[in-house]
Amino acid sequence: MTDQTPVLRLEGVVKTFPGVRALDGVSFDLRPGEVHALMGENGAGKSTLMKVLGGIYDPNEGQIYVAEEPVTIASPMQAKARGVVFIHQELSLADELTVAENIWLGELPLKSFGRVDWNKLYADTDAILETLNVGFDARTRVGDLSIANQQMVEIARALTVDPRAVIFDEPTASLTDAEKVVLFEVIADLQSKGVGIIYISHRMEEIFKITDRISVLRDGQYRGTLNTAETNEEEVTQLMIGRKLDLSRNESHHELGDVALEVRDLSCGELFKDVNFQVRRGEVVGFYGLVGAGRTEIAETIFGLRDPSAGQILLNGEEVRIHSSMDAIARGISLVPEDRKGQGLVLGMNCRDNMTLPQVDDLTAGPFVSDGAEVAIFDQYRDKLDIRTPGWRQTVGNLSGGNQQKIVIGKWLSMHPEVLIVDEPTRGIDVGSKSEIHNLIRDLAAQGYAVIVISSEMPEVLHVSDRIVAMFSGKVMRTFTSEEVTEDSLIQAISGLEGDKVA
Amino acid sequence: MNTQNRKDLLKQGAIWGFIVLELAFFSIAGSFLSVTETAFLSLDNMLLLLQQSAPIGIIALGMTIVMINGNIDLSVGATFALAAIVMLDSLTWPFMQALGDWAIPLSWFFALMTGVVLGAVNGLIVWKTGVDAFIVTLGSMLGFRGLVFMYNGEQPTSHLNWTLVDFAEAQFLGLSTASWFLLGVALILWLLMTRTVHGRNAYAIGNNRDAAVNAGIRVGPHFLLNFILIGFLAALSGVVFSAGTGSVNPNDGMLYELWAITAVVLGGTKLAGGYGSIVSTLGGVIAIQLLRKGLGHIGAGTEVVNLVIGLILIVVLFLDRQLNRKGKEELKI
């Protein structure tokens, strides 16, 4: 292996921001034809490193070599010209434009007078799409594609040049299992052409499935490179967070109370049909299924954000009609939404104001908002949930993902709910904080809350739930207890395979 | 995909459907309510309508580009007035008078350059400071209008040049000069937005600026070019308009920015940018002018016209929202 010249090599790269050393002497090399995982907790410096490679940041020290040639990369275009291509995590597409225009964004083929050469554009694009084996053509509007297909468009961008190195940043975040297979095929294909691939992901199972080597960053420092074949999850995790991690099945069981929430034959148009389930006090019910299976939509219906087309919702045995989120909150239902930054928090506001947002109406002294009462609530939940922030004045946008999520959870706990719905509680949260959130969810159930956890990650569902509801395209396929569930039966259920049904 | 295409067609055809509806309504209502004996739907009337919609129309076409790009320009009305003043006033300068009729193209050049410079000022500020275009052009709207008043105080600027008047009133193939300018500008801008890289990049920038930056598109120069374009077009509009009248008031062109934006939005261009079309804006311009003329035809006053246009604008945006909803199952706000 050592005789191959690395396609990309970094030596002692340092990037400082005022007050922070975001990258502290990072060195690593990418060999042709390898898949090299880059891992680290959120804030470890992965994105900064990528931005340095992509020419968005200038490194303060250190040197980047492309094919052993020292280079300075000053713009995304230069990076691309040298064959270093990025597949961004957050889709970076213009959804009103066609697939072809998006793929060649910034470098549309030209004719005289600055005119676009449409024929060449469409022909080139269709050629690329053919190699990707996708079901749409160059003229399709990107906004009409599914998220997964949009991801494929993003990937197609990498193929417009002859890439030396392709950097995938969390490419599977929004893909279903079937689509992941296609992605891995594309990666394998690139690999066989001698392209070096940097693969950034939080998902261990993928890392171990497709990568050759793993490099780990922690706090901006390079912690070492491991050969994937010679290591295991535990070693990688330890390198990442400096301690061990508990990823076992949920074993603890506590006393279950009465049924807090029951749903009978709930339907909402085409989104989901005839959904039945119960949640008891002290119980965690996990909802597992593919993206688009209707899990989030059920949560939104219970929280009053959608009107059900049929069926009943019973709270403590009484049928209720929930017309708005205000209704839901008044009846003790809280929803920690899927998109923490977009739906859960006002990023520009401080910690205290975010936490007291739903009840600020009641926290008044005369005509003014009572500062003292707000701070008291914040302090209470900061201690209870162990939220690490310099103070309540800190803007939540500056907190880490785990602490942000705790603020959202604290916000709803302060409303004294009976039913707590948590949608994708650890999406985009690093491994260390993940287990903290999991423990928090278990604790909350032990305290008598009825908790619903919606998640797309199997280890998470297995870890926190007392019962698991498996969903497939808007229908409940099967409900498992934590004793009887196996990974195989769960996968079968969410893929729409009936399996042996337990009555 | 098929339903999507149909929906797109519906969206783009909606404004023309609305125009047909207006025509039908005013022809029928006109036959009962009209204060004059002339028919509404006569060729002469329609040609006049096109001519009358030219001043705001030319501006609205430029506004479409700026709005697709994700910006807005509120200073066009002031640019319109300043360019008109520059043209009329420059004709009275001694060396210009010595040139005879050759002074006319030169005066146009001065006026159009005024627009280009003012547009470039807007574009450079937006590019270099990163301040929102709304704020920048709100400032320049007041500032440019200040320049207009500094030029000649409260007095109107007048200069009657008969060659100019003849040119403005000329007709070619049945269309007046102003109409030709409107259609010509529409054609050029349509080609620009659909056929050139600059146009497509403008869509991309308005649609997703981060994506455009990541793809290495230089956002600033595109902004600048589009602001220069709309400055030029606002000046062109001022020149075409004042050529016919030979006189311009310092208050001329006020609220033109809002009429232009109304026409653009009525044509379906997104306020947030990234979506819109020149042809639809042309439809929006004609629809507004039809409404003004039609309501006048059946005896309604200006105040009623404004009220109705305002209502229609809100109804259109509401309908547009309904069209884009996913039915009853969607999230409530």
Side-chain angles (χ1 to χ4, degrees), chain B residues 45-310:
Chain B
N45 204 22
M46 291 300 113
L47 289 176
L48 185 61
L49 185 139
L50 195 63
Q51 184 185 346
Q52 286 168 337
S53 57
I56 287 175
I58 292 173
I59 296 177
L61 292 170
M63 189 72 83
T64 312
I65 296 180
V66 173
M67 282 172 69
I68 285 172
N69 209 185
N71 288 319
I72 202 157
D73 189 350
L74 299 176
S75 67
V76 284
T79 306
F80 170 94
L82 199 59
I85 288 177
V86 166
M87 182 193 73
L88 292 179
D89 194 62
S90 68
L91 286 171
T92 63
W93 299 342
F95 88 92
M96 293 278 281
Q97 282 185 320
L99 288 173
D101 275 353
W102 285 108
I104 292 174
L106 202 56
S107 71
W108 279 51
F109 175 76
F110 288 144
L112 296 176
M113 275 305 118
T114 309
V116 167
V117 170
L118 296 184
V121 167
N122 280 333
L124 277 175
I125 295 175
V126 171
W127 173 9
K128 293 298 179 188
T129 65
V131 177
D132 196 86
F134 186 92
I135 306 295
V136 172
T137 59
L138 186 66
S140 57
M141 172 180 93
L142 299 171
F144 295 168
R145 187 63 70 178
L147 291 178
V148 171
F149 278 100
M150 279 161 72
Y151 211 104
N152 222 351
E154 303 280 338
Q155 304 301 315
T157 307
S158 309
H159 178 82
L160 214 49
N161 179 316
W162 288 108
T163 322
L164 205 53
V165 174
D166 284 345
F167 173 72
E169 313 232 303
Q171 292 209 338
F172 179 67
L173 297 177
L175 288 176
S176 64
T177 312
S179 306
W180 278 112
F181 271 105
L182 177 65
L183 295 177
V185 167
L187 178 70
I188 291 168
L189 292 191
W190 178 73
L191 288 171
L192 178 78
M193 291 313 275
T194 54
R195 299 294 160 87
T196 70
V197 172
H198 169 70
R200 301 319 292 174
N201 283 352
Y203 274 99
I205 292 168
N207 201 187
N208 186 342
R209 196 190 291 192
D210 289 342
V213 173
N214 278 338
I217 295 176
R218 297 191 63 213
V219 171
H222 285 292
F223 280 177
L224 179 61
L225 183 54
N226 285 333
F227 272 109
I228 288 178
L229 252 173
I230 195 174
F232 177 87
L233 291 172
L236 182 68
S237 168
V239 167
V240 170
F241 168 79
S242 55
T245 59
S247 169
V248 54
N249 266 308
N251 278 321
D252 277 354
M254 252 187 207
L255 294 186
Y256 272 27
E257 54 279 347
L258 297 185
W259 284 113
I261 293 169
T262 307
V264 173
V265 171
L266 208 56
T269 299
K270 275 190 191 164
L271 268 176
Y275 181 86
S277 98
I278 292 292
V279 180
S280 299
T281 294
L282 195 59
V285 168
I286 292 170
I288 288 185
Q289 193 60 31
L290 252 174
L291 212 56
R292 285 178 153 183
K293 242 181 134 50
L295 287 169
H297 183 70
I298 61 175
T302 330
E303 60 285 352
V304 181
V305 176
N306 287 349
L307 183 68
V308 171
I309 293 179

Side-chain angles (χ1 to χ4, degrees), chain A residues 318-332:
Chain A
E318 252 176 79
E319 181 173 359
V320 289
R321 294 231 149 258
I322 300 165
H323 296 291
S324 67
S325 50
M326 275 80 88
D327 266 2
I329 294 168
R331 294 180 192 279

Side-chain angles (χ1 to χ4, degrees), chain A residues 423-458:
Chain A
D423 196 352
E424 301 285 1
T426 61
R427 174 173 289 176
I429 290 180
D430 56 69
V431 203
S433 321
K434 248 183 191 175
S435 64
E436 266 184 58
I437 299 274
H438 291 162
N439 292 340
L440 178 64
I441 290 172
R442 291 301 309 164
D443 283 350
L444 292 173
Q447 289 164 31
Y449 294 104
V451 186
I452 296 177
V453 173
I454 300 171
S455 176
S456 302
E457 291 181 45
M458 185 173 318

Side-chain angles (χ1 to χ4, degrees), chain A residues 334-336 409 412-413 417-422 444 449-452:
Chain A
S334 292
L335 172 69
V336 175
I409 293 175
W412 291 116
L413 292 185
E418 292 173 23
V419 179
L420 184 65
I421 307 172
V422 199
L444 292 173
Y449 294 104
V451 186
I452 296 177

